[in-house]
Amino acid sequence: MRAVTALVAFLRKPLGIVLSGLAVVLLAVGLYWFQPWKLWVDETVHDALPTTASTTGARPIPSVLATGELISHEHTTKGSVRILQLPDGTRTLRLEGLDTSNGPDLRVLVTDAPVKKGTAGWRVFDDGKHVSLGKLKGNKGDQNYALPADLDLAAYTSVSIWCDRFDVSFGAAELKRAA
């Protein structure tokens, strides 16, 4: 009981008030920065396979330019990656069956970095050439990301689910060119 009384007396003094306020601010900043609640919140996305309109009314099937399978890095990550080209020439990166953890500021990167297993591969995807395709729409499901028209696919060999806040890969896939 004495400890509680002493703590209350300290918190009523100017130094106690300042330290209490500082603790509250640090807690708020820490919660914003780490966003721990996202670890328990899943966002599922079900984008349809991209298509273009045709004059015959049929839906043309996109051609597959490259494929890859996601491996886990910082967080367990599963799913596949396909780069598709539509008859009109537009290209799309498609994540299929994605299953990873949610997190703060997740992005989809196309990079020139080699995909390495284990911790050696966690932080390499923003070191060289990389293009962000935008924020990850959800941590589960099937998703489409438009590729820039001027993106030279020969120069990019991998895809990463990248946490921009902590500069770490949740998972990545090596792109294998279709024959």
Side-chain angles (χ1 to χ4, degrees):
M1 193 63 172
R2 279 186 168 175
V4 172
T5 305
L7 178 62
V8 169
F10 174 74
L11 292 176
R12 289 186 178 156
K13 294 180 180 179
L15 180 60
I17 293 169
V18 168
L19 290 177
S20 297
L22 182 60
V24 168
V25 168
L26 288 174
L27 179 64
V29 167
L31 286 172
Y32 169 77
W33 189 254
F34 288 97
Q35 299 179 359
W37 57 88
K38 285 196 170 188
L39 291 173
W40 296 281
V41 177
D42 289 329
E43 295 177 42
T44 302
V45 174
H46 294 292
D47 287 346
L49 190 66
T51 60
T52 57
S54 78
T55 57
T56 65
R59 291 185 147 201
I61 298 172
S63 58
V64 178
L65 301 179
T67 61
E69 290 296 318
L70 291 163
I71 66 165
S72 299
H73 280 146
E74 174 70 22
H75 293 264
T76 301
T77 302
K78 298 175 189 170
S80 61
V81 177
R82 291 195 301 161
I83 295 182
L84 307 172
Q85 183 166 347
L86 300 168
D88 68 0
T90 59
R91 297 172 300 172
T92 299
L93 183 138
R94 181 164 171 83
L95 300 174
E96 294 180 324
L98 176 65
D99 186 1
T100 190
S101 299
N102 206 340
D105 207 13
L106 294 180
R107 309 275 172 169
V108 177
L109 298 185
V110 180
T111 81
D112 67 348
V115 176
K116 300 175 187 176
K117 291 184 178 182
T119 57
W122 287 12
R123 300 189 182 273
V124 300
F125 295 100
D126 67 344
D127 293 345
K129 289 194 306 190
H130 62 280
V131 174
S132 175
L133 301 181
K135 287 188 174 267
L136 186 69
K137 296 175 184 178
N139 63 309
K140 296 189 181 301
D142 304 324
Q143 304 167 32
N144 301 323
Y145 297 88
L147 290 170
D150 62 346
L151 184 77
D152 177 11
L153 285 177
Y156 295 90
T157 58
S158 60
V159 172
S160 173
I161 307 301
W162 183 255
C163 180
D164 215 24
R165 173 91 31 97
F166 295 105
D167 290 328
V168 67
S169 173
F170 275 33
E174 179 183 348
L175 293 173
K176 294 180 176 101
R177 305 296 173 226

